[in-house]
Amino acid sequence: MDDILRLDAIGQAEAVREGADPRELVEAAIARIEARNPALNAVIYERFERALEEIDRIPKEAPFRGVPILLKDLGWQQAGEPYSAGSRTMDGVRIDADAHGVVKLREAGFVVLGRTNTPEFGSTITTEPRAFGPTRNPYDPGFSAGGSSGGSAAAVAAGMVAIGTASDGGGSIRIPASLCGLVGLKPTRGRSSFGPTLGEGWNGFSCNGFVTRTVRDTAAALDLISGYQPGDPYDAPALGRPLAEEVGADPGRLRIGYADVHPRGDVPAEPELTEAVAGAARILEGLGHDVEPGHPAALGDPDFPPHFGAIVANNLAAEIENVGVLRGKPVDLEELEPRNAAMVSVARGHSAADHILATQWIDRFRRRMTSWWSGGFDLLLVPSVGVAPFPLGWIPEDDLSIGFGRTAHVVSFTAPINATGQPSISLPLHRTATGLPVGVQLVAAIGREDLLIRIAAQIEAAHPFDS
């Protein structure tokens, strides 16, 4: 089964349809997790026995019958299963209903083997929660796997599974995809449902998605969970056809603007990022596209970080109140990690009017940003992460000023795209001199995941990823 485990999820599904035993595939993935997870700490909850019991109940016609998958332990809830969101404040809480995305994955035949590590309530960009300890990067265990989907990214990069679920409120798909050498697509706002328990996450900043090793897996998986559900507050523009059918489709000749240094003056220039963007620009030019310097002027607005941060803090404060309800006892700030305690404390000083004013500022920012794509450009090319790969402990707990400042630099190219609701994809196109992955990000107009899949597949075919 080692050869099958090396395949992507679509390849594993094809192997099962051609006669491979799905039970043996799941057992092989379990053995791989047991062998590799102790060094990486990517998987924090195992459900191996239940997974093996479920295999025989999967319909033979299910498209991903028997393909192993891991769920991020933030969102992606399963009824009756443990759920922590990276925090011990959730100890003892049990979930009443499967999340919409989990229902769709299980209907498609995926077998859930466990849940992956995430920072406490997903509020930072490295997966080092006090509750479960740090997740280590498979390329160098001294380095961060990113966050907040760091556990899923490390597991996929280490070959435990071919695909892991993820979510992204400020870069939490694209950042770990970049640092772990994977494909990570943040969909358009509203592309998939947060039901049945939520309408949106972080005032619409957040969305669900996946980390994978191939573009076709990303496309097929997003197809499975896409679609409006009754009660959702909004919907994404309809796609012309399934994203899986965009793999291999001609993207046409595209006009692509790029920035390799963030236009906001407080984000330091990084040689590794400059090299990564330059290399991606050469690839795109070689494929026949027009690549030139250019970016939305709003990307450099120095007022973006405080408005974005205020909305995130307000949502975190509300989430902490809800945790108190779920467990039947209010959460004391001392139970939280210092970063989250500080954010909640600040948020409790905000008024309802403060929150609405911040959202209105973001509304105006969104209009300024997205107008760039209607002015003649098809895509924006920028780094996925605003800094070079960083070691564990680089975001200090004991100095919040340094921690928040470094976090703002990391998300400088991703968080604005969460605010606009646009789709973007991180592709593993660069390595540092020491072999650490560095991703580049392509950003499309609202609703144009189809274009991202076309161009990403074109790049992958010309320059195969070697994660």
Side-chain angles (χ1 to χ4, degrees):
M1 279 291 164
D2 279 350
D3 289 341
I4 296 180
L5 283 179
R6 282 193 283 269
L7 300 174
D8 65 359
I10 290 176
Q12 292 178 8
E14 291 172 346
V16 169
R17 285 194 293 275
E18 292 170 0
D21 186 339
R23 180 173 296 277
E24 291 183 5
L25 173 58
V26 171
E27 289 173 342
I30 290 171
R32 182 72 60 85
I33 293 170
E34 290 175 334
R36 298 186 176 178
N37 191 59
L40 299 177
N41 192 37
V43 181
I44 56 170
Y45 290 124
E46 300 170 351
R47 59 183 311 274
F48 298 159
E49 291 184 7
R50 291 189 296 280
L52 291 168
E53 292 170 358
E54 292 166 356
I55 293 172
D56 292 336
R57 299 196 292 271
I58 301 172
K60 289 189 176 181
E61 65 274 13
F64 287 92
R65 176 176 169 242
V67 175
I69 193 169
L70 290 163
L71 304 181
K72 179 180 180 178
D73 196 34
L74 182 67
W76 299 97
Q77 297 95 336
Q78 285 183 282
E81 301 272 348
Y83 180 75
S84 69
S87 177
R88 289 299 185 195
T89 63
M90 295 287 287
D91 285 355
V93 172
R94 286 295 182 270
I95 302 302
D96 294 330
D98 286 343
H100 167 73
V102 173
V103 172
K104 293 298 184 181
L105 293 174
R106 295 175 87 167
E107 287 176 350
F110 281 103
V111 178
V112 177
L113 299 187
R115 303 186 68 81
T116 59
N117 205 7
T118 186
E120 186 178 65
F121 297 110
S123 64
T124 191
I125 46 72
T126 183
T127 301
E128 303 177 49
R130 283 183 176 179
F132 298 100
T135 291
R136 300 182 179 277
N137 192 310
Y139 287 87
D140 186 328
F143 276 72
S144 173
S148 63
S149 307
S152 285
V156 174
M160 299 181 200
V161 290
I163 183 169
T165 71
S167 56
D168 193 318
S172 291
I173 291 173
R174 293 156 292 165
I175 292 166
S178 174
L179 296 178
C180 292
L182 302 174
V183 177
L185 190 153
K186 184 201 88 67
T188 295
R189 179 174 301 167
R191 182 62 69 199
S192 65
S193 176
F194 276 94
T197 56
L198 292 176
E200 63 178 6
W202 286 8
N203 278 86
F205 294 165
S206 188
C207 57
N208 286 327
F210 302 87
V211 283
T212 72
R213 295 197 291 263
T214 63
V215 174
R216 69 175 188 168
D217 270 4
T218 286
L222 188 54
D223 281 337
L224 291 175
I225 66 168
S226 291
Y228 178 85
Q229 294 294 304
D232 287 346
Y234 38 71
D235 192 10
L239 295 165
R241 58 183 177 178
L243 290 173
E245 296 180 19
E246 304 295 351
V247 177
D250 185 0
R253 183 170 179 170
L254 303 177
R255 185 184 181 200
I256 303 169
Y258 74 87
D260 54 11
V261 176
H262 200 280
R264 203 175 72 226
D266 66 323
V267 183
E270 293 266 11
E272 290 289 357
L273 307 188
T274 300
E275 291 180 24
V277 171
R282 288 192 296 270
I283 290 172
L284 289 163
E285 287 175 336
L287 293 170
H289 303 293
D290 299 317
V291 185
E292 61 189 271
H295 60 80
L299 185 62
D301 194 321
D303 290 329
F304 173 77
H307 286 92
F308 182 88
I311 291 172
V312 171
N314 295 345
N315 277 269
L316 177 62
E319 186 168 8
I320 297 305
E321 294 296 321
N322 190 48
V323 171
V325 173
L326 287 174
R327 71 180 197 171
K329 182 178 70 172
V331 176
D332 191 291
L333 290 185
E334 293 183 357
E335 297 179 72
L336 300 174
E337 295 179 16
R339 171 192 69 257
N340 287 332
M343 292 172 68
V344 171
S345 180
V346 167
R348 288 176 177 174
H350 294 162
S351 68
D354 291 333
H355 181 74
I356 292 172
L357 288 170
T359 62
Q360 290 174 342
W361 190 95
I362 292 292
D363 289 341
R364 295 189 294 272
F365 173 82
R366 183 183 306 117
R367 294 184 190 280
R368 288 188 287 134
M369 278 283 291
T370 56
S371 64
W372 186 80
W373 279 262
S374 59
F377 284 94
D378 298 296
L379 295 172
L380 174 65
L381 168 65
V382 291
S384 298
V385 183
V387 303
F390 51 91
L392 292 169
W394 185 70
I395 303 293
E397 272 201 356
D398 57 353
D399 192 324
L400 293 179
S401 177
I402 290 177
F404 283 127
R406 288 178 174 176
T407 298
H409 293 166
V410 170
V411 303
S412 57
F413 288 105
T414 52
I417 309 308
N418 293 86
T420 64
Q422 294 168 259
S424 62
I425 191 168
S426 180
L427 300 176
L429 293 179
H430 182 70
R431 295 286 178 88
T432 69
T434 58
L436 291 168
V438 175
V440 297
Q441 180 182 191
L442 290 164
V443 186
I446 289 285
R448 293 308 310 270
E449 288 96 325
D450 56 348
L451 184 58
L452 290 179
I453 292 297
R454 290 175 199 165
I455 188 68
Q458 185 185 51
I459 292 170
E460 183 182 34
H463 297 267
F465 310 141
D466 57 352
S467 62

